[in-house]
Amino acid sequence: MFEVTDAPRLFALPPGVDFSHELIAGLRQRLQGQPPEALARVTLIVNTRRMARRLREIFDTGPPCLLPRIGTVTSLDALWPMAEEPPALPPLRRKLELAQLVSALLEREENLAPRSALFDLADSLSALMDEMHGEGVGMDALDALDVTDQSGHWARLRAFLSITREFENRTESAGAEARNRRIVTALIDRWNTDPPDTPVILAGSTGSRGTTRMLLEAISRLPQGAVVLPGYDFDMPAHAWQALDNRMGGEDHPQFRFRALHDAVDIAPDAVIPWTGTLPASPARNAVLSLALRPAPVTDQWRVDGPSLSDIGNAMQDVTLIEAPSRRIEALTIAMRLREAAENDQTAALITPDRDLTRQVAAALDRWRILPDDSAGTPLHLTSAGRFLRHVAALGTDRLSSEALLTLLKHPLTHRGSGRGTHLRLTRELELYLRRKGVPFPTCDHLTEWTDGQEEPLVQSWTSWLGDTLLAERPSGPAPLSEMIERHVALSRHIAWGPEPSTDWPEAWGDDAGIAARASLDELMAQSPHGGDIGAMDYANLLHNLLSSGEVRNATRAHPLIRIWGTIEARVQGADLVILAGLNEGTWPETTGHDPWLNRALRKQAGLLLPERRIGLAAHDFQQAALAPEVWITRSVRSDEAQTVASRWLNRLLNLLSGLPDTGGTDALRAMRDRGAMWLSRAHALEAVSKSDPEPRPAPCPPIMLRPTRLSVTAIERLIRDPYAIYARHILRLSPLDPVQRMADPMMRGNAIHAVLEAFVETTQDDDDALTSEGFFAIADPILAQSVPWAQVRLQWRAGLERVVRSFLSDEANRRLLARPVAFEALGRATLPDLGFTLIAKADRIDMTTEGGLILYDYKTGAPPSKPEQESFNKQLLLEAAMAERGAFADLAPANVYRAAYIGLGSKSGEAEAPLDTMPADQTWAELAKLIAAYQEPDKGFVSRRAMKKITDRGDFDQLARYGEWDVTDKPVLIRLETDDG
C-alpha cells in the first residue's frame, strides 16, 4: 500500500474537510486496482469509539466491500490480543477504594478538605494517577520536585498524594491508562522484532497524550504504517512553525502538537503529505484563519503577510457574525437559523462547550416542535429518574422538610401504581394544609391532624404509605454500602409504586433515563464490596457523583438534520451549516480549571500536561469547525452578570480583518456583522409585543351589601393605608398563598416571643418573687424548642432575649406596682349599631389597678409605632382602649383605661406609650365611625396603596392592582362594580 522508506509516514488532512469521509476516500484511492481482500488486511486505529462508529456508517453507505479492522487507541488488545495483561480495574471500584483512603485521611486531618468533597477528591486523584500513567511519570518524579518556594502547600498535598502510592502498592490490577500504556509498550517491543507486513494506519489523533504519541511515532515507522493527522494547517509558513517553540509558550496554538510531533520524528513541517487532494470549502478562509491564529510572539507577521491575503471578501462571504445583546437573544437567533435549515433540508450543527446555551437553544426550538439530536444528551442526575433517586437518597441526610416532602410527592415518578389521580389530589390538599399551618418539618402527628378533615376514602391508606416511606424513621450511623443500596432501592420502589408496592419497578421507569438509572444502581451494587461502611450523607454524595458522570441520549425522536455537538464530536463529522456559539473568554476556550494537586510550575517539572494544552486543543477544534461551507460565529455581549470579553480567537480574527482595509478586510468584517444584524433584527421582531396602555390606579367601588361589616383592629390600619387590600381580602375573599417552606421570619419570632411572655406573665402573676432570669428561661426554653425547629435560630433568638431580659424584668416589676395582670389574649367585640359594623380585637394583656381602672399592653418584637403614627394610622391600642371602656372584652366590665403601651422586646427593651392624652377613647371611637361610614358611601372606592408607610413597602395584592403600571402620584380611578342582578 505504501512505498518502502526509512522516513516516518505522516499524512494529514486540512481543516474544514470531513475527516472521516476523506480518510476512507484516501484509503480506497490507494487500494484502487487491488483485490477486495486488500482492504480487509488494513488495520485502522482511531482515537475514539465515536469515530469508529462514524467510519462504519460511511462504509455501510456503499459501495459494498470487505471492511478493514477498526479499533481505538484505548482498545488495542482487541486487535492484537495480550493474554498476559489482566483487565483494567473498573473505574467505580477504583473510585470507592480511593474514597476509603481519602476518608481515612480526612478523619485524621479534618482541616485538609470538607467531607462533602470526598468523592470529588477521589475522582481528581484517579484522574491524576491516569495522567501520570499516560505520560509515563512515576511517584519518584513527584518526590524529586523542587518545592522550596511552596513547602507549606506541598506538605498538605503530600498527605493526599501518598494515597496514590498506597493504592498502587495494594491493588491487584491497574487502571485503564496504566494498562493501555503497558499494552502500547509491549506492542512496540513486539513490532521492533516482528513488524506487521499489512497496513496499520492511525488516524484522527493529534498525539497530545504521552501514550498516544508513543504509538503514533511507532506506527509512523512501521514498514506499512502511516499516521493521518486531522486539521493540519498546510498554509502555515516555515517561520510560523518555527515560532511554535515550547520555550516561547506556544502550547495554546492549534498546531502546537504537530510541531512537537515534527521534533519527535525528526521531519520538517512541509514533509507532511496530504492524504487526499480535497481542499476545504474555502481555502482562502483557511489562509485568513491561519494568519489570525499565528503564535502570539510573532503577531507582528500580520503586517508582513496580511497584505498578501487575496480575495478576503469571498473568503468570508459565508461567515456570519452574531454579537447578541444577551445569551437569550443569542440562543433565539441560533434557533431561528436552525429552523430555517430544517425547512430547507440543510444539515446544521451547533457546536459549543456551553451546555447552558445548548439547553436554551433546544428550549427555543421547542416552540416549532423541533427536537435537536444532542450528542451530549442529558446528564443522568438531571433526568427525571436521576432526580427521583437523589431526592430519595437525601431523605436520610436531614430532617424531612415540607419542601422536600412535596418535591417527592409531586415528582412524575412517584406513586405510579394505581390511583395516581387520587394521589395528586391528596397531595394538593396536603400542600394547602402545610402552607396554611406553616409547618417547616412535617411529622406523622401533622398527618393525623390533616387526615381528620378529609373525606377521601383512600386517605387512610395514603397517609399510612407516607408514614411507612417518607416520614419513617431511618437507621442512623454508617452501614455497609451494599446495605445502604438495598435500603435505597427498596424505599425508592415503595415510593414509586405507592401504597401497593411490587418487587419490580413501575412501567414509567422503562424509558431510557429509568433504564440508565437502574443500571447505575446495579453497577454500584456490583462494586459495593469495595465501598466499606458509609454514612447517609456520604451515600447521597456518592450517588450524585455517580449519576452526574452518566448521560442519557434519545436520538430516535430527534430531527435528522439538526444536531448539537460538543467540540469532540465535531472533530469527526461535518455539516452544511456549522454554528460556533458561545465565543467568549471563559466559555470557549473554557477557563483553565484549578488543579488541587499540582500548580503549573510543578506540573512542568514533573513532565505532566500543562493547562494550556486544553486551550490548544480547543483552538484546533475551532480552526477546523470554522472552515465549514457555511459558518456562524456567535457570542453574547453580556452575560447574566456582566459584560463579556470576546474569545481570543475571534478577537484575533476581528483585529486582523479590521487592520486590512486595503485588501477588503474591513468590508468583509462589516458584511459579516451586517448579516448577523439582519438575523438579530428577526429575533427582536419575533420577541416583539404589541404595546398596550397601562392600567390606571384602581379604586374599586363594590356594592354596599358586599362591603365588610366586620374587621379586626389591626385591619383598620390596612384600611387606612391600603384600602385595596381590604377589598381583595374581605370582598373578593382572596388571600396570599403561604410559602411551602416556612422560614425563621419576623412573624415566627414574634409569635414565639409572644407565647413566652404570655406564659411567663401568667405563671408569675401571683408571685412577684418569680421575676428572675432563671425563671424566665425555664419557661422560655421549652416554648422556643417547640415553636422554633432550627437549633441555630433558637440560640440566636434566645441570645436576643438574654440581652433584654434584665430590663424587661425590671420594667415588669414596676408595671405590677401600678396594676396586676387579669387577662391574656383577651377577645373583644364592639359594634357600631348605626352602621351595622363590628370591630373585633385580641388584646395581648390587660392589667387592672386597685381602683378598677385598666392598663392595656401589646408585645412588640419589632420597633413600636411612634405617637404620630398611632394618631393617624396604627390605631390598634387606641381602638382596644375604646373597646375596653365600652365593655367589649369578656369578663371585664366597662372601665376607664388609664394607660396603654407597647412593650418592646426587639434590640432594645422598653415601653412606647399610646397617645391617650391627645387621642382619648371617645375621639378614637368617633373617628372609627367616621371612617367606616365613609366606606359605606356608594362612591367611596378602595384605593390601592393610599398611604403606605414607605414607598418601597410591598402589599400582598400589588400585582392584582397592577402596581408598576402606575405609581402613587397617579390619580385613582373609580371602578364601579355590580352584582349579576345589577
Side-chain angles (χ1 to χ4, degrees):
M1 182 172 179
F2 302 110
E3 295 181 0
V4 178
T5 177
D6 293 332
R9 293 187 191 85
L10 290 186
F11 297 90
L13 285 166
V17 302
D18 188 325
F19 185 85
S20 300
H21 269 288
E22 291 304 314
L23 175 65
I24 294 176
L27 196 58
R28 292 185 186 275
Q29 181 182 348
R30 284 169 172 77
L31 294 175
Q32 196 169 13
Q34 297 192 33
E37 63 270 18
L39 184 57
R41 295 193 183 101
V42 175
T43 300
L44 274 179
I45 303 173
V46 295
N47 56 335
T48 63
R49 288 192 297 270
R50 186 178 291 108
M51 185 174 179
R53 290 195 300 269
R54 170 78 168 147
L55 293 175
R56 179 59 188 263
E57 291 169 1
I58 297 173
F59 276 117
D60 288 345
T61 61
C65 64
L66 296 174
L67 294 180
R69 295 198 305 166
I70 302 176
T72 65
V73 293
T74 57
S75 59
L76 296 174
D77 54 334
L79 300 173
W80 293 280
M82 299 279 180
E84 66 277 9
E85 277 296 330
L89 193 69
L92 182 54
R93 174 180 170 182
R94 188 189 205 187
K95 181 205 298 278
L96 294 174
E97 293 182 348
L98 278 173
Q100 289 189 74
L101 297 175
V102 174
S103 176
L105 179 61
L106 292 181
E107 289 175 0
R108 294 194 302 269
E109 303 182 45
E110 296 180 355
N111 62 335
L112 282 178
R115 182 81 188 179
S116 59
L118 173 62
F119 296 101
D120 291 333
L121 286 172
D123 284 340
S124 183
L125 268 178
S126 180
L128 177 63
M129 293 166 60
D130 282 341
E131 184 180 342
M132 292 172 65
H133 292 141
E135 299 304 312
V137 175
M139 285 298 297
D140 293 341
L142 298 184
D143 294 335
L145 292 177
D146 180 9
V147 294
T148 53
D149 58 340
Q150 43 200 335
S151 56
H153 173 70
W154 183 246
R156 291 191 299 273
L157 293 185
R158 273 187 184 278
F160 275 111
L161 295 179
S162 63
I163 290 176
T164 63
R165 192 190 302 274
E166 179 182 350
F167 180 80
E168 292 190 337
N169 287 342
R170 72 171 189 158
T171 188
E172 68 275 13
S173 61
E177 281 289 342
R179 181 177 184 272
N180 194 49
R181 190 174 183 91
R182 288 205 298 264
I183 289 174
V184 169
T185 302
L187 199 55
I188 293 174
D189 292 340
R190 182 187 301 179
W191 288 345
N192 286 336
T193 58
D194 185 19
D197 56 1
T198 56
V200 178
I201 301 172
L202 192 155
S205 174
T206 61
S208 63
R209 304 299 294 262
T211 302
T212 309
R213 189 166 56 250
M214 286 172 52
L215 180 65
L216 189 150
E217 294 174 15
I219 290 177
S220 71
R221 298 182 185 278
L222 289 176
Q224 285 296 303
V227 172
V228 184
L229 303 174
Y232 188 84
D233 190 353
F234 290 100
D235 288 319
M236 275 186 66
H239 58 270
W241 284 108
Q242 188 102 24
L244 289 179
D245 192 300
N246 196 27
R247 291 169 299 180
M248 301 179 70
E251 181 123 11
D252 58 354
H253 190 272
Q255 302 292 312
F256 174 82
R257 271 132 296 281
F258 300 144
R259 166 58 198 273
L261 183 60
H262 298 158
D263 294 341
V265 299
D266 193 23
I267 67 169
D270 56 3
V272 177
I273 307 168
W275 179 249
T276 66
T278 303
L279 296 176
S282 176
R285 193 194 310 160
N286 190 32
V288 173
L289 277 173
S290 177
L291 180 57
L293 298 177
R294 291 277 173 90
V298 293
T299 307
D300 59 307
Q301 293 175 3
W302 287 5
R303 302 177 63 184
V304 178
D305 297 340
S308 64
L309 291 174
S310 61
D311 207 12
I312 295 181
N314 287 332
M316 309 305 292
Q317 68 178 354
D318 292 321
V319 179
T320 299
L321 177 60
I322 301 289
E323 295 175 304
S326 66
R327 285 168 56 90
R328 184 173 181 276
I329 296 299
E330 180 185 9
L332 180 60
T333 308
I334 293 170
M336 292 178 67
R337 181 64 184 92
L338 292 175
R339 179 200 179 190
E340 183 180 79
E343 292 177 345
N344 296 336
D345 291 331
Q346 183 183 23
T347 58
L350 167 62
I351 302 174
T352 179
D354 188 348
R355 294 301 301 162
D356 289 336
L357 180 60
T358 61
R359 281 190 281 268
Q360 287 181 319
V361 172
L365 284 170
D366 188 57
R367 71 165 66 187
W368 300 299
R369 300 295 185 267
I370 296 175
L371 178 65
D373 182 1
D374 190 347
S375 64
T378 303
L380 183 53
H381 73 290
L382 296 181
T383 63
S384 182
R387 291 180 187 275
F388 178 88
L389 291 176
R390 290 193 294 120
H391 290 322
V392 175
L395 292 175
T397 63
D398 204 352
R399 296 175 65 184
L400 179 67
S401 65
S402 293
E403 184 177 21
L405 171 64
L406 292 172
T407 296
L408 260 172
L409 289 179
K410 292 183 176 184
H411 195 283
L413 294 180
T414 295
H415 202 297
R416 296 300 300 193
S418 60
R420 170 76 176 169
T422 301
H423 163 75
L424 293 177
R425 186 169 60 255
L426 291 174
T427 296
R428 177 182 178 276
E429 295 299 325
L430 179 60
E431 177 183 358
L432 293 176
Y433 166 82
L434 295 175
R435 286 178 181 270
R436 186 171 59 252
K437 293 292 186 179
V439 179
F441 301 102
T443 62
C444 290
D445 292 338
H446 292 115
L447 275 186
T448 302
E449 179 183 336
W450 169 73
T451 303
D452 292 341
Q454 297 298 314
E455 299 179 356
E456 171 65 48
L458 299 177
V459 69
Q460 293 296 337
S461 63
W462 191 77
T463 53
S464 297
W465 166 68
L466 288 185
D468 294 339
T469 55
L470 300 177
L471 296 174
E473 291 189 10
R474 307 184 204 290
S476 59
L481 178 56
S482 58
E483 183 179 330
M484 294 292 288
I485 300 170
E486 289 173 355
R487 287 185 207 159
H488 181 219
V489 170
L491 181 59
S492 298
R493 282 178 179 161
H494 198 172
I495 296 173
W497 275 107
E500 301 174 1
S502 174
T503 57
D504 201 357
W505 293 89
E507 185 180 350
W509 283 75
D511 61 1
D512 292 340
I515 293 171
R518 286 182 288 156
S520 295
L521 289 176
D522 292 342
E523 181 188 9
L524 186 59
M525 176 60 81
Q527 301 298 334
S528 61
H530 308 285
D533 289 351
I534 191 170
M537 182 63 74
D538 285 344
Y539 177 77
N541 291 335
L542 170 61
L543 184 70
H544 183 280
N545 180 280
L546 176 63
L547 295 178
S548 62
S549 63
E551 62 185 37
V552 177
R553 181 169 175 261
N554 184 1
T556 56
R557 297 186 299 112
H559 196 286
L561 299 177
I562 308 303
R563 306 176 181 111
I564 296 177
W565 292 336
T567 55
I568 296 177
E569 293 83 4
R571 296 173 187 172
V572 298
Q573 302 178 82
D576 299 330
L577 166 67
V578 169
I579 300 177
L580 308 179
L583 263 294
N584 284 326
E585 282 295 310
T587 300
W588 199 4
E590 297 180 87
T591 305
T592 54
H594 171 68
D595 186 348
W597 313 114
L598 301 170
N599 59 31
R600 188 182 185 281
L602 293 179
R603 281 183 157 273
K604 192 166 185 178
Q605 280 190 57
L608 295 173
L609 302 173
L610 297 181
E612 290 85 349
R613 166 186 167 273
R614 288 184 177 273
I615 297 177
L617 290 175
H620 190 242
D621 295 334
F622 170 78
Q623 184 179 18
Q624 292 190 89
L627 292 170
E630 182 184 353
V631 175
W632 268 35
I633 298 175
T634 77
R635 62 176 292 259
S636 57
V637 177
R638 249 191 104 74
S639 68
D640 296 335
E641 293 85 19
Q643 202 84 359
T644 60
V645 177
S647 168
R648 64 192 70 184
W649 314 312
L650 176 58
N651 200 30
R652 291 170 72 82
L653 177 61
L654 300 183
N655 288 339
L656 174 64
L657 293 177
S658 61
L660 297 173
D662 297 336
T663 54
T666 53
D667 292 338
L669 179 57
R670 187 182 307 110
M672 291 164 56
R673 283 187 163 133
D674 288 345
R675 288 189 289 272
M678 182 268 291
W679 278 97
L680 286 172
S681 67
R682 292 183 181 181
H684 287 299
L686 182 64
E687 290 286 278
V689 294
S690 57
K691 185 177 180 181
S692 59
D693 295 330
E695 289 293 321
R697 185 181 183 186
C701 298
I704 299 298
M705 67 189 73
L706 298 180
R707 302 197 182 195
T709 59
R710 173 190 172 101
L711 291 175
S712 67
V713 291
T714 54
I716 297 301
E717 180 183 8
R718 191 176 300 114
L719 180 63
I720 298 171
R721 289 194 181 277
D722 189 7
Y724 188 87
I726 297 295
Y727 161 76
R729 187 181 292 272
H730 295 274
I731 298 175
L732 299 182
R733 305 295 181 184
L734 301 177
S735 59
L737 191 63
D738 297 313
V740 171
Q741 189 59 45
R742 180 73 185 274
M743 303 304 292
D745 54 16
M747 179 179 291
M748 177 180 283
R749 181 172 181 267
N751 292 338
I753 293 180
H754 269 63
V756 168
L757 296 182
E758 180 185 352
F760 176 71
V761 174
E762 188 171 5
T763 302
T764 63
Q765 61 180 327
D766 298 324
D767 184 7
D768 292 349
D769 293 336
L771 297 178
T772 64
S773 297
E774 293 77 9
F776 180 87
F777 285 109
I779 293 173
D781 287 339
I783 294 175
L784 290 176
Q786 181 180 1
S787 55
V788 185
W790 304 278
Q792 181 179 355
V793 174
R794 267 200 312 274
L795 292 175
Q796 290 175 341
W797 290 357
R798 190 184 193 281
L801 288 174
E802 288 175 351
R803 287 193 294 270
V804 299
V805 66
R806 292 185 180 276
S807 174
F808 167 76
L809 293 175
S810 175
D811 292 342
E812 179 63 22
N814 293 330
R815 284 188 284 269
R816 295 191 182 185
L817 294 177
L818 298 176
R820 308 296 297 187
V822 293
F824 305 94
E825 298 289 326
L827 298 177
R829 173 190 176 94
T831 61
L832 293 169
D834 296 339
L835 300 175
F837 179 82
T838 301
L839 183 69
I840 59 174
K842 182 188 287 187
D844 284 351
R845 171 179 168 183
I846 301 177
D847 288 9
M848 182 178 289
T849 65
T850 55
E851 294 83 8
L854 301 178
I855 299 178
L856 276 64
Y857 295 109
D858 189 79
Y859 301 123
K860 278 287 183 185
T861 52
S866 64
K867 287 188 177 182
E869 190 177 349
Q870 293 184 63
E871 290 173 354
S872 301
F873 301 103
N874 191 328
K875 296 178 176 291
Q876 178 185 351
L877 276 181
L878 295 175
L879 288 171
E880 288 179 0
M883 294 173 68
E885 291 195 355
R886 284 159 176 75
F889 292 99
D891 301 329
L892 290 176
N896 186 34
V897 177
Y898 290 110
R899 183 171 180 256
Y902 290 99
I903 300 176
L905 285 165
S907 56
K908 295 181 180 179
S909 176
E911 295 181 357
E913 296 278 349
L916 290 175
D917 51 346
T918 58
M919 291 287 296
D922 290 340
Q923 180 181 343
T924 299
W925 198 251
E927 289 186 357
L928 172 67
K930 183 179 179 181
L931 176 68
I932 299 303
Y935 278 96
Q936 291 188 354
E937 294 293 329
D939 294 333
K940 181 66 173 178
F942 289 77
V943 180
S944 180
R945 298 179 65 88
R946 174 182 172 273
M948 304 297 282
K949 184 175 182 179
K950 293 185 292 186
I951 195 68
T952 56
D953 287 348
R954 302 291 300 179
D956 290 336
F957 304 97
D958 285 351
Q959 186 177 11
L960 182 65
R962 306 288 284 269
Y963 176 59
E965 298 182 38
W966 52 267
D967 61 35
V968 293
T969 62
D970 292 347
K971 184 178 179 180
V973 175
L974 295 179
I975 304 173
R976 301 187 183 279
L977 305 174
E978 296 181 353
T979 58
D980 291 340
D981 57 4

